[in-house]
Amino acid sequence: MPSPDKSSPDRPSAGPPSSELRDLAPEASGVAALGAAALSLFRSARELYSVFVSTLYYCVKGRREPGAVLLQMYEIGNKSLFFLTVVMGFIGMIMVFQAGQQAKRVIPDLTMLGATYLELLVRDLAASIAALMLATRVGAGIAAEIGSMVVTEQVDALRMCAADPIDYLIKPRFIASVLMTTCLIVWSAAVSFATGMITAYSMFDVSPETFMNVSLVDAGDLATGLAKCVAYGAAIPVVSGHSGLSTFGGSEGVGWATTRAVVNSSLAVIVLNMLISAAAFLIFR
């Protein structure tokens, strides 16, 4: 079992100060405000790293409860299916329509429209857009649920029973999120490509046989897209779970933790996208 870490999120180290403290503490400005923000960011990064390492440890050495993982797979996967299907369906129509309009101004030939769109979809668009949508729905739900357990002292009760909240609360969501995020992104790519194909046929008279061109998709695109699926699926529950565990201040604190979970999860998706894309460029160029 990992040694106790003072940087673990067992107690909140960041958050909105109480109204009394805001009245007494002087407002930081200039360099002091910038330094305080940098220290807060560094402290949050250390806590997120501690939560991530503990989650990986409990995935190997923690308790076994398949029912908890299946329940979270239903919460994350099944309840997000309709939302992602609608969003990615409209995204497919919008992307193909705008790409077709722009391409017609340069060259009148749209035979490679489907091949180019599929390559972008597999390499980046499907994973990134779907993960941002999941960060809003799944991330907010995880932070609100765990934050409510913190303010009602249910998490303290777990600790009194010698149970680590990361093992009981974050690990099942982590495993379920990695599995279901990958499945949802594959489904989202299929829906977006299908609606794009319908748009190309109806708006630009591109036949489905011409649009369904996989000649530009290679092993590097598939590996990059799969790496993003796993990375996003791991990041969303860790970031949101950390926000939930650092909740304090009653119902106002739960609302603040939910907002922070959505913002930080979305930011994590963007940062991971940049890092994985840069690594893929160096490996598969």
Side-chain angles (χ1 to χ4, degrees):
M1 185 173 178
S3 59
D5 189 348
K6 293 181 180 179
S7 64
S8 67
D10 291 347
R11 289 291 181 269
S13 58
S18 63
S19 56
E20 292 81 4
L21 291 178
R22 283 198 297 266
D23 294 337
L24 295 175
E27 287 287 340
S29 61
V31 178
L34 186 62
L39 288 175
S40 177
L41 182 63
F42 178 72
R43 188 165 50 244
S44 297
R46 284 188 58 197
E47 292 175 355
L48 282 174
Y49 176 76
S50 175
V51 172
F52 177 65
V53 171
S54 297
T55 303
L56 292 181
Y57 172 82
Y58 285 120
C59 286
V60 179
K61 298 291 186 180
R63 67 193 181 99
R64 296 288 182 266
E65 191 176 355
V69 176
L70 291 175
L71 176 62
Q72 294 304 321
M73 289 176 68
Y74 174 78
E75 293 290 334
I76 295 173
N78 292 41
K79 292 189 176 180
S80 302
L81 185 61
F82 178 75
F83 173 58
L84 280 183
T85 300
V86 173
V87 171
M88 295 305 294
F90 279 104
I91 290 291
M93 290 187 283
I94 294 169
M95 293 294 294
V96 170
F97 176 75
Q98 294 295 339
Q101 291 286 356
Q102 296 298 322
K104 283 173 61 178
R105 297 177 181 177
V106 181
I107 52 174
D109 185 9
L110 296 179
T111 55
M112 295 302 292
L113 179 63
T116 306
Y117 179 59
L118 183 60
E119 183 188 27
L120 290 174
L121 205 59
V122 172
R123 177 182 282 269
D124 186 60
L125 288 182
S128 299
I129 296 176
L132 288 173
M133 296 299 105
L134 287 174
T136 61
R137 205 201 76 79
V138 176
I142 292 175
E145 187 175 359
I146 296 179
S148 299
M149 295 179 69
V150 170
V151 299
T152 55
E153 300 181 350
Q154 296 180 56
V155 173
D156 290 336
L158 281 176
R159 293 193 181 97
M160 291 179 65
C161 297
D164 194 315
I166 294 177
D167 188 18
Y168 275 76
L169 300 178
I170 295 182
K171 186 194 72 179
R173 291 167 173 81
F174 177 83
I175 297 173
S177 177
V178 171
L179 295 175
M180 297 312 297
T181 297
T182 303
C183 296
L184 287 171
I185 288 176
V186 172
W187 169 252
S188 299
V191 170
S192 187
F193 187 73
T195 56
M197 183 168 60
I198 295 171
T199 303
Y201 178 72
S202 59
M203 302 299 296
F204 306 112
D205 200 24
V206 178
S207 67
E209 292 80 9
T210 303
F211 191 84
M212 197 175 298
N213 184 352
V214 298
S215 61
L216 296 182
V217 178
D218 55 19
D221 298 323
L222 293 173
T224 303
L226 183 60
K228 290 181 179 179
C229 292
V230 175
Y232 299 158
I236 291 174
V238 169
V239 174
S240 303
H242 168 262
S243 298
L245 288 176
S246 60
T247 301
F248 68 100
S251 57
E252 182 183 357
V254 175
W256 182 84
T258 303
T259 302
R260 189 172 69 148
V262 173
V263 173
N264 289 352
S265 297
S266 302
L267 182 61
V269 169
I270 298 298
V271 172
L272 287 172
N273 188 358
M274 182 194 68
L275 296 176
I276 296 173
S277 297
F281 174 77
L282 296 176
I283 295 172
F284 299 110
R285 63 178 176 178

